[in-house]
Amino acid sequence: MADVAALVESARQGAPRAVARLISLVEGASPQLREAMAAIAPHCGNAYVVGLTGSPGVGKSTTTSALVSAYRAQGKRVGVLAVDPSSPFSGGALLGDRVRMGEHASDPGVYIRSMATRGHLGGLAWAAPQAIRVLDAAGCEVILVETVGVGQSEVEIAAQADTSVVLLAPGMGDGIQAAKAGILEIGDVYVVNKADRDGADATVRELNHMLGLGEARQPGDWRPPVVKTVAARAEGVEEMIAALDKHRGWMDERGVLAERRAARAAKEIETIAVTALRRRMGELRGGKRLDALAARVAGGTLDPYTAADELVEGVTEGG
Amino acid sequence: MADVAALVESARQGAPRAVARLISLVEGASPQLREAMAAIAPHCGNAYVVGLTGSPGVGKSTTTSALVSAYRAQGKRVGVLAVDPSSPFSGGALLGDRVRMGEHASDPGVYIRSMATRGHLGGLAWAAPQAIRVLDAAGCEVILVETVGVGQSEVEIAAQADTSVVLLAPGMGDGIQAAKAGILEIGDVYVVNKADRDGADATVRELNHMLGLGEARQPGDWRPPVVKTVAARAEGVEEMIAALDKHRGWMDERGVLAERRAARAAKEIETIAVTALRRRMGELRGGKRLDALAARVAGGTLDPYTAADELVEGVTEGG
């Protein structure tokens, strides 16, 4: 058994292998996690967490890479967490195509990590915040969380960042697709990438129009800006970072940053608690209680609500 | 308050408005749901549930529509549940483009319903099985559940069908993309749609190759077939239905169908129970217990596991 305290200390000193091992504890839902998270807790809360989401093909990975370069040029330590199943960063073992991030691979000021938690009891909602916590404690000043903006869980993860960036590209279905995917509600900053393509200005106009359709804003409310980029040529990245800085400043000023972080912590706590309760449910009567209820529901002799009541009773009353 | 018993009886007689109202109760997480589900329970278990999943653009909606026509030609009552945020069926109110399903809109033997549950406490995992239950009780012999194969929750829903169909199209990244999205593990039948396009045969070959890479099969195990279709011209739809029939027959023979339905019921019960427990957590001390814990975790004075312990204790011991 590894010495968790030593591992955490080593990660805090910036040792990449220690950081990697801690995130592996998260992915594996290791029993040592509890100890690791307790040791990490006092060192969290310093990183600025940026979520990047968008459909496959909008250039999330390229944009992430360009942002990393820009933040590195500012001398900042950067963490990248890819929880996008369609990303070349995640599933990297399968593809071996982390090429585009290759320029950062040897930079000791950058941690790049993909999450592989499919099938895990708590899923991404459970693992992602804890991985962010590890990167935070390891001294990352900026953490970029890349998720695909299609799935419910993935959009929820992006929405829990300090600042959520929604990426679109011209001609991909544009604003209407974004509205359908529910991402018009979560963006603090919108980026129209591949802005050298036809239709970029139309997409920007459409987005601005749709963003203006919401309820009337109070003076001082945040109005999500729409930034044009060509991430592959690093064009517009400065404007994007300026928009992020502006949002961060606005959040600081209005106390929104603290609120968001508390909301993220609440979600994290709740997910850990729910996962523990689910485990208890699965273990009731040596794992047979749920099976017995399921057989009755599948057979039509019991409805799922009554079955759920029995399960809840079993967990809360030790029955 | 509506008379739930009358509503259920009316839905069982096939009244489309009663079916629609029952699914609205699901979407709205209505307090009447418990009563409705109890009344429905004895009438469930007759429908054959087919999940269709795949990335945006592979032609899920067109394939679904072609399947509906084919099953209708067999005289079967069909239900369609679209839980794909990028589908023209879901988000339909926004787009008004249910055009492609238009031919079925006036057919009393077809129910088409999109789910809009974003932001709901239990999400799609909570709502989809209950909506399927409603369509089942309403006498649908086949229920097609269309989900987008990108998000974690969405893939999980498709995986819980009696038969899971994974759709691909040539030149969309093909097998490797499928592997990355985790859908090579969940398909019982694979469909390469738009098979009149270049590269279709290569995609079929690649899929067959990747499907053969799994662990060695036992004699009698199911080997997922790969079917080529051009759904827009209804080509290959008969072969697709033959593959579905074959899978259903195999499941019946081996007792797999009953197993899958029990597993689906278990998941459904568990999700209802977890949602109830999450609600209790949120309500502890008038909603302030979780907030107080979250503030401490966000401030670094408490780790999330210890906070989760306190939350679980509050729910299970009334603290």
Side-chain angles (χ1 to χ4, degrees), chain B residues 56-93:
Chain B
V58 295
K60 283 188 299 298
S61 310
T62 315
T63 307
T64 301
S65 188
L67 274 181
V68 171
S69 299
Y71 279 120
R72 287 300 294 142
Q74 294 180 10
K76 287 186 173 147
R77 293 168 74 92
V78 183
V80 176
L81 189 68
V83 289
D84 173 352
S86 74
S87 165
F89 305 153
S90 54

Side-chain angles (χ1 to χ4, degrees), chain B residues 92-112:
Chain B
L94 185 73
L95 280 177
D97 64 353
R98 300 182 181 226
V99 194
R100 277 180 285 173
M101 289 295 272
E103 57 177 309
H104 305 299
S106 59
D107 180 345
V110 182
Y111 298 102
I112 301 171

Side-chain angles (χ1 to χ4, degrees), chain B residues 149-213:
Chain B
V150 183
Q152 178 173 275
S153 337
E154 291 77 7
V155 169
E156 278 168 14
I157 289 163
Q160 282 163 39
D162 295 332
T163 299
S164 289
V165 178
V166 172
L167 281 95
L168 295 100
M172 293 202 51
D174 306 317
I176 299 224
Q177 289 290 344
K180 286 202 300 178
I183 58 181
L184 280 184
E185 291 109 62
I186 66 155
D188 301 304
V189 172
Y190 288 81
V191 171
V192 175
N193 190 33
K194 305 185 179 179
D196 52 346
R197 289 198 185 168
D198 285 348
D201 288 327
T203 300
V204 171
R205 269 198 308 276
E206 188 180 3
L207 258 179
N208 272 318
H209 174 67
M210 295 189 85
L211 290 167
L213 289 178

Side-chain angles (χ1 to χ4, degrees), chain A residues 34 130 153 305 309 316, chain B residues 34 130 152-153 305 309 316:
Chain A
R34 175 178 286 269
Q130 297 187 60
S153 337
Y305 282 86
D309 285 349
T316 59
Chain B
R34 175 178 287 270
Q130 297 187 60
Q152 178 173 275
S153 337
Y305 281 87
D309 285 348
T316 59

Side-chain angles (χ1 to χ4, degrees), chain A:
Chain A
M1 191 191 226
D3 181 338
V4 170
L7 195 60
V8 168
E9 190 46 41
S10 187
R12 287 196 56 220
Q13 305 299 325
R17 289 180 58 183
V19 174
R21 284 205 50 198
L22 283 171
I23 297 184
S24 295
L25 295 185
V26 174
E27 285 187 323
S30 160
Q32 294 176 300
L33 257 189
R34 175 178 286 269
E35 192 188 342
M37 287 297 152
I40 278 173
H43 311 294
C44 291
N46 304 308
Y48 172 49
V49 181
V50 179
L52 292 113
T53 194
S55 302
V58 296
K60 283 188 298 299
S61 309
T62 315
T63 307
T64 301
S65 188
L67 274 181
V68 171
S69 300
Y71 279 122
R72 288 300 293 144
Q74 294 180 11
K76 287 185 174 148
R77 291 168 76 92
V78 183
V80 176
L81 189 68
V83 289
D84 173 354
S86 73
S87 164
F89 304 154
S90 53
L94 186 73
L95 281 176
D97 65 352
R98 301 183 180 224
V99 194
R100 278 181 285 173
M101 288 295 271
E103 56 176 310
H104 304 300
S106 58
D107 180 345
V110 182
Y111 297 102
I112 301 171
R113 180 67 179 222
S114 61
M115 294 293 286
T117 60
R118 194 172 291 277
H120 179 274
L121 186 59
L124 293 174
W126 183 91
Q130 297 187 60
I132 291 171
R133 204 166 266 283
V134 169
L135 293 170
D136 187 354
C140 291
E141 292 160 274
V142 178
I143 299 172
L144 307 175
V145 183
E146 181 191 326
T147 71
V148 71
V150 183
Q152 178 173 276
S153 337
E154 291 76 7
V155 169
E156 278 169 14
I157 289 165
Q160 283 164 38
D162 294 332
T163 299
S164 288
V165 178
V166 172
L167 280 95
L168 294 100
M172 294 204 48
D174 305 319
I176 299 227
Q177 289 290 346
K180 287 203 299 178
I183 57 179
L184 279 185
E185 292 108 62
I186 66 156
D188 301 305
V189 172
Y190 289 83
V191 171
V192 176
N193 190 33
K194 305 185 181 181
D196 51 347
R197 290 198 184 168
D198 284 348
D201 289 327
T203 301
V204 170
R205 268 197 309 275
E206 189 181 1
L207 258 180
N208 271 318
H209 174 68
M210 296 189 85
L211 290 168
L213 290 179
E215 56 268 47
R217 288 199 169 73
Q218 301 297 315
D221 276 5
W222 179 253
R223 165 68 157 91
V226 180
V227 179
K228 288 199 288 184
T229 58
V230 185
R233 294 200 302 260
E235 287 173 24
V237 176
E238 273 177 48
E239 289 81 354
M240 188 176 167
I241 286 192
L244 296 177
D245 287 345
K246 198 174 165 194
H247 184 246
R248 187 180 182 170
W250 173 84
M251 286 193 296
D252 267 334
E253 210 172 85
R254 316 265 297 189
V256 175
L257 189 58
E259 274 170 29
R260 285 206 174 186
R261 290 181 173 182
R264 191 161 77 222
K267 185 88 186 161
E268 185 182 2
I269 298 165
E270 201 219 21
T271 304
I272 293 172
V274 162
T275 305
L277 285 167
R278 284 177 66 187
R279 189 168 295 123
R280 284 197 203 178
M281 284 182 193
E283 287 166 357
L284 284 175
R285 292 201 192 148
K288 289 182 181 150
R289 178 74 169 264
L290 179 52
D291 288 348
L293 292 168
R296 291 173 61 198
V297 169
T301 58
L302 187 70
D303 73 273
Y305 282 86
T306 307
D309 285 349
E310 291 192 25
L311 204 58
V312 167
E313 219 171 277
V315 167
T316 59
E317 287 157 29

